[in-house]
Amino acid sequence: MTRLYGAITGWGAYVPPHIVTNHDLEATLDTSDEWIVQRTGIRQRHIAGADETTSTMAIKASLAALAQANLPATELDLILVATSSPDYLTPPASSLVQAALTPHHIPAMTIVTGCTGFVYALVTAYQFIQAGVYRNILVVGVELLSRFLDWRDRSTCVLFGDAAGAVVVQATEQPCGLQGYDLGSDGANCQHIIMPAGGSARPFGPDVLDERSHYIRMNGREVFKFATRIFAPASERALRMAGKCIDDIDWVIPHQANLRIIQAAAKDMGVPLERFIVNIDRYANTSAASIPLALAENLANGRIKPTDTLLLLSFGAGLTWAAAVVQMQPQLHSF
Ligand code: UT7
């Protein structure tokens, strides 16, 4: 039987137009531009407007990716949406995206693994492609975390931004696509990033509202330590599976959570920081959207070529991690 590969033929992103700078936050919070820039590298973030939701942002990024791939949405076989900030706990955000894009009742699935969601979804998409089950898959990473942040908690609210990114993965017989990956979950340490209430463990009620425990809480220091510990070994395992070494990688696209984490990863992995894509200064941490946003932006400006070999590296709630070696399109073929 012919071996099938998954080419990434389309990509797109959406960020809401409204920008909130660190200086804007100084007006309402006991914080400073200097602290935020020094500790995180963040200078501003985009925040969704009142008329926007997670699925409306996802749909905009998806339409851009489909247009780039020149693929009508009616040709899609599967939609995967990675998000931890859906429009509703139920129905799934993926079904809202499916309804907006296509009248066909194709499968649509929401993947909830925090910031690693896009890479988890991409790896999932490739399994369906390689098994010969589906040919055209839309993979979205989207987050509207500004609605889940406690805007009185300076240790979390300054860190995040809203965005969406999407790619189209299409079956091809030409070698390309996902070459190796490493996924993992350290659930015993899940309490370090948590929305304590609003789920079945602690249903919503007036006490929850008083405690503000329906918002994200995070032990930043512990998450920071986890991230710096996991990046190098996860990369090594993904590279080993791909039969590659770090010198074969043109660009590392790390999850944009903290510039200091990216710098530590570069040092640990022995890779110059110049080979890491960094845009955290403009978008802050957009969780599951951060990697597809960085990918789409740098393909659009020509810094990344579709034939480059990429290492996607992510960590987040769970605590989960995900590393993937990807060459989006075959070397000797242009779409
Ligand atoms: O995508 C995955 C999601 N999460 C992450 O990636 C987070 C990973 N962790 C981090 O990025 C960092 O740990 C933070 C940026 C969250 C915090 O940086 P840190 O260097 O670990 O600072 P810290 O938490 O140790 O806090 C140092 C001080 C504290 O004051 P005291 O106790 O030393 O007096 C905080 O209260 O900084 C204070 N602080 C702030 N000060 C001004 C915390 N947040 C702020 C703030 N503005 N926004």
Side-chain angles (χ1 to χ4, degrees):
M1 200 177 108
T2 319
R3 182 157 179 208
L4 286 171
Y5 300 89
I8 298 182
T9 55
W11 47 86
Y14 172 76
V15 285
H18 180 55
I19 291 173
V20 174
T21 65
N22 293 347
H23 291 295
D24 293 333
L25 293 176
E26 286 172 352
T28 52
L29 269 180
D30 179 16
T31 190
S32 66
D33 175 59
E34 192 192 0
W35 190 95
I36 301 171
V37 173
Q38 275 182 7
R39 300 289 180 120
T40 71
I42 297 165
R43 292 183 185 274
Q44 62 174 47
R45 71 284 295 140
H46 290 247
I47 299 295
D51 57 337
E52 296 189 284
T53 67
T54 309
S55 64
T56 65
M57 296 201 305
I59 291 159
K60 286 186 175 155
S62 300
L63 289 172
L66 288 161
Q68 170 82 30
N70 200 18
L71 184 79
T74 46
E75 296 290 310
L76 286 171
D77 301 314
L78 171 69
I79 295 175
L80 299 175
V81 177
T83 188
S84 293
S85 50
D87 301 42
Y88 309 101
L89 262 182
T90 197
S94 44
S95 292
L96 305 181
V97 173
Q98 173 266 318
L101 292 181
T102 169
H104 301 322
H105 296 164
I106 57 167
M109 197 192 313
T110 299
I111 293 186
V112 190
T113 60
C115 304
T116 57
F118 176 77
V119 182
Y120 261 79
L122 194 65
V123 172
T124 305
Y126 278 109
Q127 310 311 313
F128 284 113
I129 296 263
Q130 281 165 358
V133 178
Y134 300 127
R135 292 196 70 81
N136 300 323
I137 304 181
L138 177 70
V139 182
V140 188
V142 56
E143 225 67 83
L144 204 165
L145 282 170
S146 62
R147 304 247 164 93
F148 298 86
L149 293 170
D150 183 346
W151 287 95
R152 293 188 205 160
D153 175 9
R154 67 178 184 173
S155 71
T156 52
C157 74
V158 305
L159 303 174
F160 296 94
D162 300 330
V167 298
V168 174
V169 186
Q170 293 191 267
T172 171
E173 289 172 10
Q174 298 177 65
C176 68
L178 182 71
Q179 300 176 348
Y181 56 89
D182 186 61
L183 306 178
S185 167
D186 174 15
N189 282 307
C190 65
Q191 76 282 5
H192 293 314
I193 308 179
I194 190 164
M195 257 183 248
S200 65
R202 180 117 195 263
F204 197 79
D207 51 335
V208 167
L209 205 55
D210 287 347
E211 286 170 19
R212 305 174 75 76
S213 51
H214 52 304
Y215 291 124
I216 292 174
R217 295 207 182 140
M218 183 169 68
N219 183 341
R221 262 182 235 184
E222 287 304 320
V223 180
F224 192 102
K225 278 194 257 170
F226 168 74
T228 49
R229 211 170 46 233
I230 204 67
F231 266 178
S235 305
E236 272 167 33
R237 289 189 291 260
L239 285 164
R240 201 177 312 131
M241 186 175 177
K244 294 199 180 298
C245 66
I246 193 70
D247 292 339
D248 299 321
I249 299 297
D250 297 296
W251 291 103
V252 182
I253 309 185
H255 171 45
Q256 310 284 315
N258 188 315
L259 181 59
R260 290 186 296 138
I261 293 176
I262 298 173
Q263 288 164 334
K267 198 168 156 221
D268 255 23
M269 292 161 59
V271 179
L273 194 60
E274 294 67 45
R275 272 169 55 209
F276 280 67
I277 299 290
V278 178
N279 65 12
I280 188 172
D281 52 326
R282 284 171 294 131
Y283 301 113
N285 180 348
T286 60
S287 187
S290 91
I291 288 181
L293 171 62
L295 180 67
E297 182 175 54
N298 285 276
L299 282 158
N301 67 23
R303 215 164 154 220
I304 297 180
K305 313 263 173 302
T307 50
D308 284 346
T309 303
L310 311 172
L311 174 61
L312 315 181
L313 259 185
S314 189
F315 68 94
L319 300 170
T320 56
W321 72 86
V325 177
V326 179
Q327 184 197 308
M328 297 172 56
Q329 298 185 1
Q331 290 285 4
L332 300 171
H333 184 82
S334 62
F335 283 85

